[in-house]
Amino acid sequence: AGASGATAGKGGASGAGTSGTPAAGSGGSAGGGGAGGKSGSGSNTACANTKILQLPADPIARGPWPVGEKTVKLGRFSAVEIMYPAQPGSQKDKPVLKQDLREFLPQRERARVPDDQAAIVSADTYRDLPLDAEHGPYPVVILVHGTASFRVASFSTQALWASRGFIVMAADHPGLYLADYLARFGCNLDAPREDLNDDVDAELAALTNPSGELAFLAGHVDSTRVALAGHSAGAVGVAQLSGKPGVQMVLALAGNAAVRSAPALKSVLFVGGEADAVLSYNPPATGIGRLQFPGTQTEAYTASPGEPVTKRIVGIRGGGHLVVTDLCQKNARNQSDLQVAQANGVCGTALLNGLGIADCGTVERTAGTEIVNYVTTSALEETLLCQDRDQAWSQLKGRYSLVDDFREGN
């Protein structure tokens, strides 16, 4: 059980914010976000000795930094994506990075999906820009994808976080990654074992002492201020890892495991779709995921530590399991990427579709990701950048009619 790994197909991939929806079939890119509004709660001072550019008060507005992006190899990971605050102005005359999601299929299967059906996505990021070394050191978000998913399944959210002063690391987790899942359950190929505990240890170690391909981060990472974020099986995993060094926050997207208490933990945020058919939002647990991960999202929230930890949950009315990701894009034929992959004979995709884990509910994709971007950015900046986001929380339900459930504390 866990996230879907829809990867191939036409359709506009989005962006953070409200700058418009790209034309279907063109891939699309992440917009610059909604209007920044007053910057009164924005600040150029942050926790400890961190120096930042002034942030827009609106949590979905694109931040003041252009976003650099690097893909590196690290330990047993075949690929790790790093998004980071780049030197302002360094993106001038540089091409926006575009990613072909066929990359996340088993290599032998990629050619099955024709070019005119391939999903090409962008989040207005730029390959290998110089890091903004005049500011920082920057806090860290490590994002763990769900079952049969991949490292940029939440690309617009990852880019928004980086534009607002975070170093964001997301790997293709062996055994959990889409290509590995298809290899094992449908393609008759070997796949590595899953080990999220060791994976997160490796990511934390690499960020604490950056070297090799990550040497450009040396001296600019605050590894004492870390958020672990995850979707579905990834959320279940990171909920158990809150005691890792430097972890102050856990973000559970469609996760149904209680976060473990830990001395340094300051904040917990659950976000999910109330119509989730994989890991149920409310009891009783009826989703197919209960066979592997018993319980519901609201039960996990209730069982997670409260005071002095800041604890919140946000439920999106009509949202399915993938509403908290960028995986719900559709092509001109109203097909998901996973459906297109199956139609083109990609091995293993029939099983995934049959299990129903590509569950988007009834919420339009960008409407769901905008809510996710709003609440996760507010929580991250409040916890790891010491920004006042009380106004954002007080306006949440008034701004988003799809936010049906919002609770703070026990």
Side-chain angles (χ1 to χ4, degrees):
S4 151
T7 61
K10 290 194 289 183
S14 88
T18 57
S19 60
T21 302
S26 63
S29 65
K38 292 182 179 180
S39 59
S41 62
S43 172
N44 57 7
T45 58
C47 306
N49 296 319
T50 295
K51 181 181 174 185
I52 61 174
L53 294 170
Q54 187 161 343
L55 300 173
D58 188 337
I60 65 165
R62 193 76 168 208
W65 284 277
V67 177
E69 186 168 351
K70 288 182 181 285
T71 307
V72 304
K73 292 186 180 299
L74 176 66
R76 78 184 197 119
F77 299 121
S78 60
V80 178
E81 210 73 13
I82 309 291
M83 297 190 191
Y84 55 90
Q87 182 179 315
S90 62
Q91 78 279 21
K92 185 178 179 182
D93 299 325
K94 300 286 176 56
V96 171
L97 178 63
K98 296 181 180 180
Q99 292 183 299
D100 186 335
L101 296 189
R102 288 176 294 187
E103 171 192 342
F104 304 108
L105 296 172
Q107 187 169 6
R108 77 177 194 191
E109 300 295 303
R110 296 170 189 171
R112 292 182 180 274
V113 180
D115 289 346
D116 64 352
Q117 295 182 37
I120 310 298
V121 302
S122 173
D124 288 346
T125 64
Y126 301 85
R127 179 70 72 192
D128 297 334
L129 292 183
L131 179 79
D132 180 6
E134 299 300 314
H135 296 89
Y138 303 103
V140 170
V141 185
I142 293 175
L143 176 62
V144 180
H145 62 73
T147 301
S149 193
F150 46 90
R151 65 185 187 271
V152 292
S154 295
F155 61 90
S156 71
T157 302
Q158 293 162 246
L160 179 66
W161 293 341
S163 80
R164 297 179 67 107
F166 296 90
I167 292 171
V168 183
M169 174 178 275
D172 289 331
H173 288 272
L176 198 64
Y177 169 46
L178 174 67
D180 290 345
Y181 195 87
L182 294 177
R184 190 166 64 247
F185 299 107
C187 298
N188 197 29
L189 298 168
D190 291 334
R193 63 183 175 83
E194 176 188 328
D195 192 337
L196 292 185
N197 181 69
D198 284 359
D199 286 355
V200 171
D201 281 345
E203 291 174 292
L204 288 169
L207 290 167
T208 300
N209 296 292
S211 61
E213 292 182 283
L214 296 179
F216 76 103
L217 296 175
H220 304 292
V221 179
D222 188 345
S223 58
T224 69
R225 288 182 289 139
V226 176
L228 297 182
H231 173 241
S232 189
V236 172
V238 299
Q240 313 308 309
L241 305 179
S242 53
K244 297 289 185 186
V247 174
Q248 296 188 13
M249 182 176 183
V250 173
L251 290 172
L253 305 176
N256 70 339
V259 175
R260 289 185 177 176
S261 181
L265 188 66
K266 293 183 178 180
S267 179
V268 171
L269 175 64
F270 286 81
V271 190
E274 293 182 357
D276 193 325
V278 178
L279 296 177
S280 302
Y281 186 81
N282 286 310
T286 58
I288 190 171
R290 74 188 188 283
L291 301 177
Q292 184 175 5
F293 304 122
T296 68
Q297 297 175 47
T298 55
E299 290 171 325
Y301 164 77
T302 300
S304 295
E307 293 292 341
V309 175
T310 299
K311 180 170 71 167
R312 298 183 177 98
I313 187 169
V314 177
I316 302 172
R317 186 176 63 254
H321 191 60
L322 303 184
V323 72
V324 292
T325 72
D326 281 309
L327 293 173
C328 287
Q329 65 228 29
K330 297 291 183 73
N331 66 8
R333 298 177 184 176
N334 201 37
Q335 295 173 309
S336 71
D337 297 342
L338 189 60
Q339 290 168 334
V340 171
Q342 181 181 351
N344 285 285
V346 174
C347 59
T349 53
L351 173 63
L352 288 181
N353 278 317
L355 290 173
I357 66 174
D359 165 40
C360 293
T362 59
V363 177
E364 192 273 327
R365 185 182 60 82
T366 55
T369 54
E370 183 172 313
I371 293 169
V372 171
N373 291 346
Y374 185 99
V375 298
T376 59
T377 299
S378 296
L380 285 167
E381 292 178 355
E382 176 184 74
T383 307
L384 301 183
L385 287 176
C386 299
Q387 301 295 291
D388 181 357
R389 291 293 176 252
D390 287 350
Q391 184 177 13
W393 292 113
S394 69
Q395 295 175 346
L396 173 62
K397 292 195 74 172
R399 179 165 177 168
Y400 295 109
S401 60
L402 288 175
V403 174
D404 189 52
D405 181 26
F406 174 47
R407 285 175 263 171
E408 299 181 271
N410 297 322

